[in-house]
Amino acid sequence: MAEEIKLSQKDRMAVAWRHQFLQGSWNYERMQNGGWCYAMIPAIKKLYSTKEEQSAALKRHLEFYNTHPYVSAPVIGVTLALEEERANGQPVEDQAIQGVKVGMMGPLAGVGDPVFWFTVRPILGALGASMALGGSIVGPLLFFVLWNVIRMAFLWYTQEFGYNVGTSIAKDLSGGLMGKITEGASILGMFIIGALVQRWVSIGFTPVVSTVTQSEGAYIDWASLPSGIEGVKAAFEQYAALGPTGLNVEKVTTLQGNLDQLIPGLAAVLLTLLCCRLLKKNVSPIAIILALFAVGIAGRFFGFM
Amino acid sequence: MSMISVILVVLVAFLAGMEGILDEFQFHQPLVACTLIGLVTGHPTEGIILGGSLQMIALGWANVGAAVAPDAALASVASAIIMVLGLADGTTDPTTAISTAIALAVPLSVAGLFLTMLCRTIAIPIVHFMDAAAEDANFRGIEMWQLLAIGLQGVRIAIPAALLCFIPAEAVTTMLQAMPDWLAGGMAVGGGMVAAVGYAMVINMMATPEVWPFFVLGFVLAAINELTLIALGAIGVSLALIYLGLKDFAKKNGGTGGGSGDPLGDILNDY
């Protein structure tokens, strides 16, 4: 009997590297099939020597495939294990390989999208962006480095996991762990989005609701302060006690101030919920964005924002 | 813009275009793309600020399944180039240049969307060429077509970027300076609000009645300015772990305890 053909770690790394280009030939017909086949080439070259076998393997891996580009890594790991068995004479049918791919891609995409696109990227992106708004290069660097470290580690280790565990992984997929990861990510994601709405959606309504003349002692009586440095000291002491409204005789309350007294950022959250509602009604996000710009310009023109 | 800058800008645009489809290294994210364009044109700080602002808007833009989101690649690359042109003679207020660039990014993201749909259609015959190559077990052929398809997505952004570089800088600066205050200011106001759309996209993706309370917690806690984003992240992770742990616990006990909700009573009953 011929010696068993094994995929070395180097082969598997070559596959993992190429797997990064999975979506390169994304097309409306079979979606990620070209990239998938491209990624499998090092393994196919190693496992099959005759032209017929190679051609059959290439065609086998040009079938329809589409999932999240990162969680595709365990799928390709399992597929490598299956192809290896097949090359060593085990009865692994074409349908079995295609079945594993199709069976895994659906549930895994359901995990990959919320975890990577809607939790990790918004969090890292917001972290980097909040630093970048101050003009700091650390922001973009942090985002870029952290993201790629997480991504590459995930791609490699989950591919190895799939390769080592083989087909039994497919059974676990519908089980508890995947559901838990998705749920945990949704909780974290919603929590952070709540925080981001508060911090980074800015709406400022400028209309003045009321102007009240404050009673004596509620404002700093600038005329009767002691002169010189003592006066500065006294002013600061009074300011610390009275707060910003102590600067003027009149206390001006803007609409924004009133809203913020209820909950800081109330207007921002209402706007976000309105957007959710509109998006659910299939209004295009682009249309909403353009409308918001229009509102902003009108708001500034008529002086209410 | 100097010739070297133009070449580097086109290179960055090419990377961003490739990443717009691959979604791996994230060169197409505004935070990265605008920063790089700022760096190669000598306006790093403005590039970083523009990148940060656009990133906040584009947080929820993601390609899910076959659906394509507004295109971050063209939006960030093209708006950064326009901003750089506007800053060229040093007389334009950077804030105006940045907020105008943000407003322009939105229609550009739609244009990018159509370009990527075009590329994804052109990729159909490409995979048919791959089929033919597979017939002959022609590995090189498949590799070549794959790289060509990726290159096509890169060119999708590189060409518009190159064209924009040759718009005379004076045209952009005159336009920026001719803009009345209410228009520039209004676009800044609008820019502050549009982030809500990105967040709404994320919320619609994840929201179930079960996780809404966590949104409320995040929103209320964020008003405490001492809490940095990292601190908030730590709270969020803890909440998720606690919640999942408790839920697990409840499930395990649900079978035996009969859901009496009284641990002491359960112990006494067992006793």
Side-chain angles (χ1 to χ4, degrees), chain A residues 249-263:
Chain A
V249 181
E250 279 162 353
K251 181 179 163 191
V252 178
T253 310
T254 59
L255 181 57
Q256 190 66 33
N258 270 352
L259 286 174
D260 281 347
Q261 254 173 6
L262 295 174
I263 302 176

Side-chain angles (χ1 to χ4, degrees), chain A residues 18 21 30 70 151 199, chain B residues 23-24 131 143 146 227:
Chain A
R18 283 170 172 238
F21 305 104
R30 276 169 283 166
Y70 301 174
R151 177 181 68 85
R199 294 254 167 112
Chain B
D23 233 334
E24 298 274 345
D131 287 339
E143 286 166 354
Q146 173 74 8
L227 294 175

Side-chain angles (χ1 to χ4, degrees), chain A residues 17-31 33-35 37-38 41 44-45 51 54-56 58-59 62 66 69-70 113-114 117-119 121-137 139-140 143-144 147-148 151-152 155 180-181 183-203 263-266 268-269 271-273 275-277 279-280 285-286 288-290 292-293 295-297 300-301 305, chain B residues 21-29 31-32 35 39 45 48-49 52-53 55-57 59-66 68 70 102-103 106-107 109-110 117 119-121 123-124 126-128 130-131 133-139 142-143 146-147 149-150 153 181-183 185-187 189-197 199-207 210-212 214-215 217-219 221-225 227-230 232-233 235-237 239-240 243-244 247-248:
Chain A
W17 171 258
R18 283 170 172 238
H19 185 246
Q20 296 184 88
F21 305 104
L22 178 69
Q23 307 212 84
S25 55
W26 203 105
N27 60 88
Y28 285 111
E29 190 184 289
R30 276 169 283 166
M31 304 194 176
N33 70 328
C37 182
Y38 174 77
I41 283 180
I44 295 173
K45 268 186 185 163
K51 196 179 168 191
Q54 289 179 346
S55 169
L58 288 174
K59 281 195 257 176
L62 275 169
N66 193 38
Y70 301 174
D113 289 330
W117 294 163
F118 299 119
T119 305
R121 190 159 73 190
I123 292 175
L124 289 182
L127 184 65
S130 61
M131 294 164 115
L133 289 176
S136 159
I137 184 84
F143 170 74
F144 186 72
W147 178 269
N148 281 298
R151 177 181 68 85
M152 284 178 175
L155 284 179
K180 260 192 209 162
I181 293 174
E183 200 181 350
S186 308
I187 291 174
L188 177 59
M190 285 297 273
F191 181 82
I192 293 294
I193 288 294
L196 291 175
V197 167
Q198 208 284 334
R199 294 254 167 112
W200 298 108
V201 177
S202 65
I203 308 178
I263 302 176
L266 183 64
V269 81
L271 176 68
T272 310
L273 294 178
C275 291
C276 283
R277 167 77 38 109
L279 287 171
K280 277 223 175 95
I286 300 292
I288 304 176
I289 293 175
L290 291 178
L292 286 177
F293 272 109
V295 170
I297 292 167
R300 180 52 65 92
F301 189 74
M305 279 174 119
Chain B
I21 185 78
L22 295 177
D23 233 334
E24 298 274 345
F25 294 90
Q26 308 296 310
F27 285 113
H28 65 303
Q29 291 291 307
L31 198 50
V32 182
T35 302
L39 278 177
T45 314
I48 293 169
I49 297 175
S53 321
Q55 188 70 45
M56 285 294 181
I57 297 172
L59 280 183
W61 295 1
N63 297 326
V64 174
V68 202
I102 294 171
V106 178
S109 71
V110 185
M117 283 161 70
C119 286
R120 286 165 183 231
T121 311
I124 297 176
I126 288 184
V127 295
H128 283 272
M130 286 187 184
D131 287 339
E135 201 69 54
D136 306 332
N138 177 0
F139 292 109
I142 292 180
E143 286 166 354
Q146 173 74 8
L147 297 179
I150 302 175
Q153 291 276 2
D181 265 354
W182 55 266
L183 186 57
M187 284 197 295
V189 172
M193 294 192 291
V194 290
V197 182
Y199 301 150
M201 290 166 87
V202 179
I203 292 171
N204 277 355
M205 215 58 213
M206 296 202 293
E210 216 180 342
V211 296
W212 270 112
F214 295 98
F215 174 83
L217 281 176
F219 175 73
L221 284 175
I224 307 171
N225 281 323
L227 294 175
T228 61
L229 267 181
I230 297 175
L232 286 167
I235 298 176
V237 171
L239 282 175
Y243 183 80
L244 291 178
K247 203 172 162 188
D248 236 22

Side-chain angles (χ1 to χ4, degrees), chain B residues 94-122:
Chain B
T95 327
T96 312
I98 291 172
S99 59
T100 314
I102 294 171
L104 284 172
V106 178
L108 286 167
S109 71
V110 185
L113 177 69
F114 285 113
L115 289 176
T116 186
M117 283 161 70
L118 184 70
C119 286
R120 286 165 183 231
T121 311
I122 299 176

Side-chain angles (χ1 to χ4, degrees), chain A residues 32-51:
Chain A
Q32 298 164 341
N33 70 328
W36 174 271
C37 182
Y38 174 77
M40 286 297 292
I41 283 180
I44 295 173
K45 268 186 185 163
K46 175 81 171 258
L47 292 173
Y48 301 103
S49 44
T50 70
K51 196 179 168 191

